Amino acid sequence: MTQARGTVALIGSGELSGTMVETHKKLLAGISAGQNVLFLDTPAGFQENVDLISRRAVDYFKQHINQVMEVASFKAKDAAASSDAEELYNLLGRAGYVLIGPGSPTYAVRHLKDSPIPALLSAMISRGGCLVAASAAALSVGSHTIPVYEIYKVGEPVHWVGGLNILGKLGLELVIVPHWNNAEGGNHDTRYCYMGEKRFRALEAELPPGTVILGLDEHTVCTLDFKAEEAVVQGIGQVTIRIEGSEKRFARRDLISFDLLRGDQSANLQGRTVTVKSGIKADHLLQSEAMGTGPDPAFWDKMHNIEKVFHQSLAAKDATMMIKQILEADRVLWKAQLDLENPEFISQGRELFRELIVLAGTGIKELTSLIPERFDSLISALVRLRENYRRDQRWPEADQIRNILLETGVLLNDTGTGPKWEI
């Protein structure tokens, strides 16, 4: 097999975010002038908004990368029989840079595996081009693919489906797992691409012995350089290489030998590594000593902290702090939008934001409903105290209570059946 000369950039999430602008620029600098730069829409081909997703990618590259990008549309395998198919294949045959991103990994595999596209992508990498596979697409390029939606949303038993194995055709038999450090679940474990530790352990047990798993934190990229036979980590998180229960973790700027990616755990490694035996660690976002300081808190870390403080304030009936947390959530959402955060994350963040508003309204309503009841109890107690003073003929004290009530807007009338008060 002829050694490939190109690169594959695997991105855990945020492929069209502000954190990836410099990454795309560096990757584009490595391709030859005049080669096509394409966005392949297959993983999201089933979605009603697939064309909007494609347009967002094109606009992102135009505005932030200063690069013209075309859409290579292959929404379903039925397109292979269309008159446009040959034009698409020719377009891919001249491509130097292809981005594949969000959607369903199993949909992508089902509709691409029997088409010429995987072979065209492998050929592009072999001749020196760059494939960028992010999120759902990253799942699909390895030997096995997690059916995320089917397990996490539908409740199917844990299982794998065969991947496109584009990396295998280039000599790296890997299983790619993006969203390795996902924290969207809040009160339940969504690490390991929404599987959580329990389900991921079960999945891992079904893989052939010696399978190499490459885990990608969110907003993190692992670029495989086939000419140099090494990978480099960029972004705000880590890359985890997991082989039969043993983990090695790599932070920003660390290099990973292809020998390790081929399963040689004794490979001479450059960069910082952390080895973990027998089990998956929960401290999934370690800081890199080489960077001096860790990355800024992730979007979901901020949102979940807001949610936590809000519920504490709700329990304490602290309306001021509840409002403060709602305003902070609004600020975080606006900043995330300006920072080109994943639109899906922003959408889910807005759902949480709306939930906090509803809870605040309910909590404040409950709080204000207590005011008339407690006010009534206070006035009634003062009226009884005044009556006691009157019985004891302590007129100055009785008049003083009456005057205090009057100053606060409460009118007290002595009637034949006893004192009556009104606002």
Side-chain angles (χ1 to χ4, degrees):
M1 181 176 62
T2 304
Q3 182 182 0
R5 296 183 290 112
T7 57
V8 175
L10 303 167
I11 301 179
S13 74
E15 64 277 6
L16 299 181
S17 70
T19 58
M20 291 296 157
V21 169
E22 292 306 314
T23 294
H24 288 298
K25 287 181 178 179
K26 289 177 182 177
L27 293 171
L28 283 163
I31 70 170
S32 301
Q35 292 184 311
N36 294 324
V37 176
L38 306 175
F39 178 79
L40 182 61
D41 64 1
T42 311
F46 65 99
Q47 296 180 207
E48 292 294 325
N49 66 338
V50 58
D51 292 331
L52 293 176
I53 293 172
S54 300
R55 174 51 54 188
R56 180 172 182 267
V58 170
D59 290 345
Y60 172 90
F61 269 72
K62 180 181 179 180
Q63 295 171 16
H64 302 284
I65 316 295
N66 194 27
Q67 171 66 54
V68 174
M69 170 177 273
E70 297 179 71
V71 177
S73 186
F74 192 85
K75 295 184 176 72
K77 57 186 176 183
D78 296 343
S82 72
S83 58
D84 296 329
E86 284 303 318
E87 183 179 344
L88 171 66
Y89 302 150
N90 289 332
L91 195 64
L92 286 168
R94 300 190 303 272
Y97 193 95
V98 177
L99 169 62
I100 321 178
S104 164
T106 47
Y107 182 90
V109 169
R110 189 163 65 251
H111 289 270
L112 288 175
K113 66 178 180 179
D114 294 326
S115 79
I117 292 177
L120 287 167
L121 295 175
S122 294
M124 178 191 70
I125 300 161
S126 294
R127 64 176 181 265
C130 177
L131 172 65
V132 182
S135 192
L139 272 164
S140 70
V141 299
S143 61
H144 296 71
T145 298
I146 299 175
V148 180
Y149 289 97
E150 294 86 339
I151 296 174
Y152 183 60
K153 295 290 188 182
V154 182
E156 290 186 9
V158 294
H159 65 286
W160 297 92
V161 299
L164 297 173
N165 206 20
I166 292 172
L167 297 176
K169 295 179 177 67
L170 299 169
L172 290 180
E173 292 284 342
L174 299 173
V175 171
I176 311 300
V177 183
H179 302 283
W180 186 262
N181 65 334
N182 182 270
E184 290 178 48
N187 59 2
H188 65 282
D189 188 1
T190 51
R191 291 172 294 153
Y192 321 115
C193 202
Y194 303 92
M195 294 297 98
E197 181 172 353
K198 181 180 178 181
R199 283 185 291 203
F200 190 75
R201 281 181 179 275
L203 281 165
E204 188 177 33
E206 294 184 7
L207 290 171
T211 297
V212 179
I213 298 172
L214 190 153
L216 293 157
D217 283 357
E218 294 177 337
H219 290 274
T220 303
V221 57
C222 181
T223 302
L224 309 174
D225 185 335
F226 285 86
K227 186 176 181 179
E229 291 216 332
E230 65 183 15
V232 64
V233 180
Q234 295 293 334
I236 67 173
Q238 293 189 116
V239 168
T240 301
I241 307 301
R242 185 170 172 84
I243 307 172
E244 295 185 339
S246 178
E247 289 185 358
K248 296 181 185 293
R249 296 176 183 165
F250 301 84
R252 188 167 179 252
R253 299 192 184 97
D254 282 350
L255 299 178
I256 307 172
S257 165
F258 269 28
D259 289 337
L260 176 62
L261 298 181
R262 294 187 181 108
D264 181 2
Q265 296 190 64
S266 64
N268 182 25
L269 305 173
Q270 301 179 60
R272 165 185 162 278
T273 66
V274 178
T275 302
V276 182
K277 294 288 187 181
S278 304
I280 303 173
K281 288 290 185 180
D283 55 339
H284 48 273
L285 191 56
L286 299 177
Q287 296 181 355
S288 168
E289 294 88 351
M291 295 176 64
T293 58
D296 292 334
F299 171 75
W300 278 109
D301 289 340
K302 295 176 184 177
M303 292 300 292
H304 286 314
N305 184 63
I306 289 168
E307 182 183 24
K308 177 183 176 181
V309 176
F310 177 90
H311 281 285
Q312 290 172 346
S313 306
L314 181 63
K317 294 184 171 58
D318 187 343
T320 301
M321 184 56 72
M322 284 191 289
I323 293 170
K324 182 177 180 180
Q325 295 311 306
I326 290 173
L327 292 174
E328 176 63 9
D330 182 58
R331 187 194 68 79
V332 169
L333 285 165
W334 271 109
K335 187 176 186 303
Q337 190 162 329
L338 291 173
D339 291 344
L340 304 176
E341 178 60 81
N342 188 320
E344 185 177 344
F345 289 179
I346 293 177
S347 176
Q348 293 168 355
R350 291 196 186 283
E351 288 297 323
L352 175 58
F353 178 60
R354 286 191 285 270
E355 179 185 339
L356 296 185
I357 292 173
V358 172
L359 288 172
T362 304
I364 292 172
K365 182 179 178 181
E366 179 184 347
L367 183 61
T368 54
S369 69
L370 295 174
I371 293 175
E373 178 184 339
R374 294 182 180 180
F375 184 78
D376 182 81
S377 298
L378 175 62
I379 301 303
S380 297
L382 288 171
V383 170
R384 288 195 299 271
L385 178 61
R386 177 176 176 269
E387 286 301 293
N388 290 338
Y389 286 149
R390 282 164 57 86
R391 279 194 299 270
D392 295 340
Q393 296 185 358
R394 296 172 61 179
W395 309 116
E397 289 88 343
D399 289 343
Q400 187 176 18
I401 290 177
R402 183 186 185 119
N403 291 336
I404 289 173
L405 291 173
L406 188 59
E407 288 174 3
T408 58
V410 178
L411 180 62
L412 190 60
N413 294 312
D414 294 314
T415 68
T417 56
K420 303 292 183 183
W421 62 269
E422 59 181 334
I423 303 297

